[in-house]
Amino acid sequence: MATIQDVLTAALAHHQAGRLNEAAAGYRAVLDAVPNHADAAHLLGVAHLQAGQPAEAERWIRAAIQSNRRAPDYHDNLGSALKAQGRLDEAVTAHRQAIRLRPDFAQALYNLGNALDALGRREEAVTAYRQAAARRPGYAKARFNLGNALTALGRRDEADQAFRAAIADDPSFVEAHANRGSLLLSLGKAVESNAASARALALRPDHPTALTNRAAAFLAAGDAAAADGAARRAARACPDLADARLRLGEALHRANRLAEAGDAYSIALALAPDLAEALANLAVVRQTQGLLDDAERGDRRALILRPDLAEVRSNLAYLQLFQPGVTLAGVLAAHRAWDDAHGAPLRAGWPKPTGKRKTPANGAEPPLTVGILSGDFRRHPAGQFAIRAVEALPAHGIRLFLYANQTEADDLTARFRAVAERWTPVAALSDAELAERIRADRPDVLIDLAGHNARGRPGVFARKPAPIQVAWSGYMATTGMAAMDGLIADRHHVPDGAEVHYRERVLRMPDAFIAYDPPDGAPDVTPPPCLSGAPVTFGYFNILTKLNPEVLRAWAAILAQLPDSRLLMKTKALSCPITAALWRDRLTKAGIDVNRVTMIGASTNLEHMGWCASVDVALDPFPFSGSTTTLETLWMGVPVVTLPGETFSSRHSLAFLEVAGVEGCVATDEAAYVDLAVGWATDPTRLAALRNSLRARMAAGPLCDGDRLAGSLAEALKKLAS
């Protein structure tokens, strides 16, 4: 007659062979004979977990724990059952209990890391994975997941070390090779990425991630044929062909191959018409190409499929700023629509107001703690607009907590970090997690440098993590959000009477609302090219999204009055030959001879400024004016002819020209715009005089005075918070 131990041993044999039903039957037989048999209850729970029945697994594992609370394995597997049910906080507690019972329990540490990572608590997950790997030599899975968590945190060099360690533990770990390939691609190491992906493909020739990585690496190396071949193999290998095309489109988009990216997204949609992400991405391509109507249609279709896509609704609101005839009332309505859909549902969770800041007994004014959230603490327009004032804020009684929604770093990043009392990378955190993090830091004021732009986090501000929230510099309109208390502006951007069209309280700075930080090493100012006998050259340096038939009509009139003149168009999207051809066709239809037009694509920033110096007069688009491009062009001594409207985004060049003291550039209508451009182009003496004086005036004036702006900004923020 078989003993209980014999039955348990037979059940274990079935379990180890993968025969879960037979194993479960054996464990039940043991429990029928000995109801409190802890090991049988635990193993029955494990069998249910492996069979995809986590709730039943939890029931039996808890029964085992009732019989024996000191078994670490029981608590660890309970954590796995809870995680499988989405009960992550409980899973963390169970895994921690297993570790308390056995501090060197590597598997429990690994499982703890997985639960913490799923909660978005990645710093804690990193610690758990490191401890798991330290306690079990050769634990490749722990090192692999460590690499994934570090990648999500933006700690890419450490992530590469973790992936390499995982591969050293297990050279056949195909996912480690593939993920390392993705990481190296994000670091701009195309050759190394290609090699890592090749190793993954040697192990699994149909691995879609490795194939897609190779396509992107070939693109970065300029090998279009090899990229196309790899992308096609990825599409064949991936069961979800639409997803493979979606990822290929993203790779092509990063390489400025806009038309090909659009084709990839279109194929994805042909394969999966309800793929909202492909619609949204295609809309961004069309927007970048300057096809506004196509972009808007794509965004609206994506929102029909996925009304929860807040980024798409942000983009839809942003698109309104470019439309001819745009009004302040229309801009406010478009942005309030975002808040109605995505902000309003979060208002019930706003913390209750805590009252005014307390003044110490000695009467001294306490420092104001100001948090700034941005993905652009770097060489980006928002960073260049803010850095000088931010560097000066501490001298005006401001403590700075900077929340960096980015993984890149450059010289400007170092300057922001140097002035921050607290620097927190947040790119890996969800909106809810980031809002909780900010709320725990308790800043008096939280500033947004992105709004509805790329890398913006309106979903964080909609949760109201700070008592006072203010928009500044990175977005050129109202945010439309009830959660935003203030908007930093100036009298040029928001003249008296326009406040009614802003959801926020308008805080006007005395000069411009930004302080420009020109790049080190900018080319020296040179005489106007036309002085050397060359034809007069007009320049356009803004994105194609800002162009429309009204702008092209004005350009055609200008060029018609000066038959020998030329036009230089320089913007990143023109790196795509098909996009450039599209715009040559549009110019021709507008009556502009394309033989008089030179098109230039992407370049370095300093090369870009050299191109600015190569024109005599710059032409500003309307109704969305230039901002950084205007400042760069003025820094090179070149006048910018502008036609402002009523919206914030139409008045950048007006503001900068006024503050810099440049006269004769601001038009009141399209005819005046044409006359001003022709007037400048036919007056080389005035052009030369402006070049000789403008840079020095800008450098010495309020347009570049960060301390002056910081003083006004600090005063406005303190008043708002009092």
mmCIF file of all heavy atoms in Angstrom, residues 86 226 270 592-593 662 703:
data_model
loop_
_atom_site.group_PDB
_atom_site.id
_atom_site.type_symbol
_atom_site.label_atom_id
_atom_site.label_comp_id
_atom_site.label_asym_id
_atom_site.label_seq_id
_atom_site.Cartn_x
_atom_site.Cartn_y
_atom_site.Cartn_z
ATOM 1 N N GLY A 86 -2.602 41.067 -10.753
ATOM 2 C CA GLY A 86 -2.502 42.518 -10.795
ATOM 3 C C GLY A 86 -2.477 43.172 -9.435
ATOM 4 O O GLY A 86 -2.556 44.402 -9.337
ATOM 5 N N ALA A 226 19.990 47.982 -47.425
ATOM 6 C CA ALA A 226 20.094 47.003 -46.341
ATOM 7 C C ALA A 226 18.996 47.233 -45.309
ATOM 8 O O ALA A 226 18.432 46.277 -44.758
ATOM 9 C CB ALA A 226 21.467 47.085 -45.684
ATOM 10 N N ALA A 270 -3.143 49.541 -43.462
ATOM 11 C CA ALA A 270 -3.786 48.618 -44.396
ATOM 12 C C ALA A 270 -3.927 47.238 -43.774
ATOM 13 O O ALA A 270 -4.918 46.532 -43.996
ATOM 14 C CB ALA A 270 -2.982 48.544 -45.689
ATOM 15 N N ILE A 592 5.841 80.631 -57.760
ATOM 16 C CA ILE A 592 7.248 80.860 -57.424
ATOM 17 C C ILE A 592 8.106 79.943 -58.284
ATOM 18 O O ILE A 592 7.891 78.725 -58.319
ATOM 19 C CB ILE A 592 7.500 80.604 -55.926
ATOM 20 C CG1 ILE A 592 6.708 81.608 -55.080
ATOM 21 C CG2 ILE A 592 8.993 80.668 -55.606
ATOM 22 C CD1 ILE A 592 6.726 81.317 -53.592
ATOM 23 N N ASP A 593 9.077 80.512 -58.965
ATOM 24 C CA ASP A 593 9.988 79.751 -59.805
ATOM 25 C C ASP A 593 10.953 78.974 -58.911
ATOM 26 O O ASP A 593 11.789 79.579 -58.222
ATOM 27 C CB ASP A 593 10.755 80.704 -60.726
ATOM 28 C CG ASP A 593 11.729 79.979 -61.661
ATOM 29 O OD1 ASP A 593 11.832 78.739 -61.575
ATOM 30 O OD2 ASP A 593 12.391 80.678 -62.446
ATOM 31 N N VAL A 662 14.515 96.788 -32.895
ATOM 32 C CA VAL A 662 14.617 96.743 -34.359
ATOM 33 C C VAL A 662 13.319 97.297 -34.943
ATOM 34 O O VAL A 662 12.245 96.752 -34.709
ATOM 35 C CB VAL A 662 14.858 95.311 -34.862
ATOM 36 C CG1 VAL A 662 14.959 95.302 -36.391
ATOM 37 C CG2 VAL A 662 16.117 94.732 -34.246
ATOM 38 N N LEU A 703 16.793 91.373 -23.725
ATOM 39 C CA LEU A 703 16.479 90.126 -24.413
ATOM 40 C C LEU A 703 17.406 88.986 -24.004
ATOM 41 O O LEU A 703 17.056 87.818 -24.136
ATOM 42 C CB LEU A 703 16.555 90.339 -25.926
ATOM 43 C CG LEU A 703 15.813 89.344 -26.819
ATOM 44 C CD1 LEU A 703 14.353 89.206 -26.415
ATOM 45 C CD2 LEU A 703 15.921 89.768 -28.276
#
